[in-house]
Amino acid sequence: MKLADSQTINADAATVWAALLDPAVLQACVPGCTEMTGNADDGFTATVVQKVGPVKATFKGGVTISNRVEQQSLTITGEGKGGPAGFAKGGADVRLDPQGDVTVLHYDVEAKVGGKLAQLGSRIIDGFAKKMADEFFSNFKDAVEGPGEDDDAADEDAPKKGWFKRLTS
């Protein structure tokens, strides 16, 4: 399964770049991620619980970040084993396009599964992989930007910042 899309994030490229390398941000953004440890240089280990069709599995595996060009692009690669459910592996080539105060994050995702998961059929797997990628990058945008216009804020006049942006400000 291959997918390409983009997200416009209301933050400068340096902030987006730092968030892409932060394990706490990544854990918060990966749907079903219950644990993520490690760092961008040595790689991360993660535990993700997901249900794909009728199959629910806990995947344990690693995530590596490679091909890093500071504040421009990187490749995120992950592979997890879900016991009898099978395995999932994939990656995303991410490119940052700074445009003033905003950054357009472009991504090309490729995912593969095996074992019982592969028996579900390509339509279910492709739909699930697209949903996971869309959720991750949507969650990432929310983590960097903070609450949207419709969200309740303690102070209506205060600028809205994501928890990551508050840390780096």
Side-chain angles (χ1 to χ4, degrees):
M1 193 282 320
K2 292 185 179 186
L3 165 73
D5 206 347
S6 63
Q7 279 282 352
T8 300
I9 300 173
N10 291 318
D12 60 82
T15 301
V16 175
W17 181 260
L20 282 168
L21 302 177
D22 187 307
V25 173
L26 295 176
Q27 179 177 347
C29 297
V30 174
C33 186
T34 58
E35 179 183 11
M36 183 163 305
T37 59
N39 60 62
D41 294 328
D42 301 326
F44 303 100
T45 57
T47 302
V48 177
V49 178
Q50 277 298 326
K51 184 172 185 207
V52 184
V55 179
K56 182 177 180 182
T58 299
F59 294 90
K60 295 184 184 226
V63 177
T64 57
I65 297 180
S66 59
N67 303 325
R68 288 196 284 187
V69 178
E70 188 76 21
Q71 296 185 27
Q72 292 181 25
S73 63
L74 55 75
T75 300
I76 301 171
T77 308
E79 185 170 347
K81 293 186 171 136
F87 70 89
K89 64 181 172 179
D93 290 319
V94 178
R95 185 174 47 86
L96 303 181
D97 182 10
Q99 297 182 353
D101 291 342
V102 302
T103 302
V104 180
L105 184 149
H106 301 276
Y107 57 94
D108 295 301
V109 176
E110 186 169 357
K112 296 177 184 170
V113 297
K116 283 185 182 178
L117 290 174
Q119 296 171 2
L120 294 175
S122 64
R123 260 183 51 192
I124 291 174
I125 297 301
D126 289 354
F128 176 76
K130 179 178 178 1
K131 178 181 164 235
M132 286 287 290
D134 289 346
E135 275 187 50
F136 173 84
F137 287 105
S138 177
N139 291 346
F140 182 79
K141 176 180 176 167
D142 292 344
V144 175
E145 288 183 354
E149 295 292 323
D150 298 334
D151 293 338
D152 292 331
D155 183 358
E156 295 283 328
D157 297 327
K160 294 181 168 92
K161 292 184 180 180
W163 64 269
F164 182 77
K165 206 165 186 179
R166 285 192 301 269
L167 287 175
T168 60
S169 296

